[in-house]
Amino acid sequence: DRLYRRIEKIVESVEEKVSNANASGLSALVDVQIDVLQSYFRTMLPHILPRIGAGLAPLAILGKLSAHLPNGKDLVLTITRALPHNITTEMDLKLWSAAKVIQSDNKSLHHFKSTDADRLALEYLHGELPDVAQDAVSLFMSEYGMRGLYEID
């Protein structure tokens, strides 16, 4: 409980820094990112490392127990991804939901099919996507925008 409160304070601080930097442009955002990455390890590693070990140990045990099964390692990963409250699974489902909303709107779908990713990102940042797409992406980003790209399975 104490760790969650500490993490919430850090996340709120980062969100505030990002919000302030957004108004100043890309270089300010990069500065915030560097600052956050440098301070993150110093601040959080002592709290998180034991929990990572506690999470990885059972995964390693499952891997050993399933080693004799065909595709045992893949099976373990498939099963553990489906655990309740798995943030990457929840994020994947929300992203899928946003994609379905965009696909269901002809204007948004056509726009996404005909525009490159860099342009779409800029349009999102400037609020220039078709309304349905802008709302869908904004909803996803408000909940998961601070997470890393490689957290998506």
Side-chain angles (χ1 to χ4, degrees), residues 2 6 8 11 15-16 37 39-40 50 73 78 83 97 103 106 108 112 116 121 127 139-140:
R2 195 176 66 182
R6 184 172 175 94
E8 282 180 21
V11 168
E15 287 175 340
E16 182 179 339
L37 286 173
S39 65
Y40 174 81
K73 184 178 179 181
T78 299
L83 292 174
S97 178
Q103 289 173 343
N106 287 334
S108 296
F112 268 64
D116 68 72
L139 181 63
F140 175 80

Side-chain angles (χ1 to χ4, degrees), residues 20 43-44 72 135 141:
N20 293 336
T43 306
M44 295 308 297
D135 291 346
M141 293 301 283

Side-chain angles (χ1 to χ4, degrees), residues 20 104 114 138:
N20 293 336
S104 71
S114 62
S138 292

Side-chain angles (χ1 to χ4, degrees), residues 24-148:
S24 300
L26 185 58
S27 73
L29 281 172
V30 170
D31 290 342
V32 167
Q33 198 171 35
I34 290 169
D35 176 54
V36 167
L37 286 173
Q38 288 174 343
S39 65
Y40 174 81
F41 292 105
R42 209 175 34 250
T43 306
M44 295 308 297
L45 205 55
H47 300 285
I48 292 177
L49 200 55
R51 288 162 178 85
I52 291 172
L56 289 179
L59 188 62
I61 292 168
L62 284 172
K64 293 270 188 207
L65 292 172
S66 67
H68 70 284
L69 298 172
N71 299 320
K73 184 178 179 181
D74 291 336
L75 181 61
V76 168
L77 292 176
T78 299
I79 291 168
T80 56
R81 281 187 188 123
L83 292 174
H85 310 295
N86 178 323
I87 190 68
T88 57
T89 300
E90 292 176 8
M91 186 169 64
D92 290 348
L93 291 171
K94 291 283 179 135
L95 186 58
W96 176 79
S97 178
K100 296 303 283 180
V101 167
I102 291 166
Q103 289 173 343
S104 71
D105 178 64
N106 287 334
K107 184 177 179 183
S108 296
L109 179 61
H110 174 73
H111 189 69
F112 268 64
K113 284 184 170 184
S114 62
T115 308
D116 68 72
D118 290 338
R119 181 74 194 154
L120 289 170
L122 281 173
E123 289 177 358
Y124 164 71
L125 290 173
H126 292 103
E128 298 170 351
L129 290 173
D131 291 340
V132 170
Q134 187 72 34
D135 291 346
V137 175
S138 292
L139 181 63
F140 175 80
M141 293 301 283
S142 70
E143 202 166 341
Y144 297 103
M146 81 300 278
R147 303 203 67 94

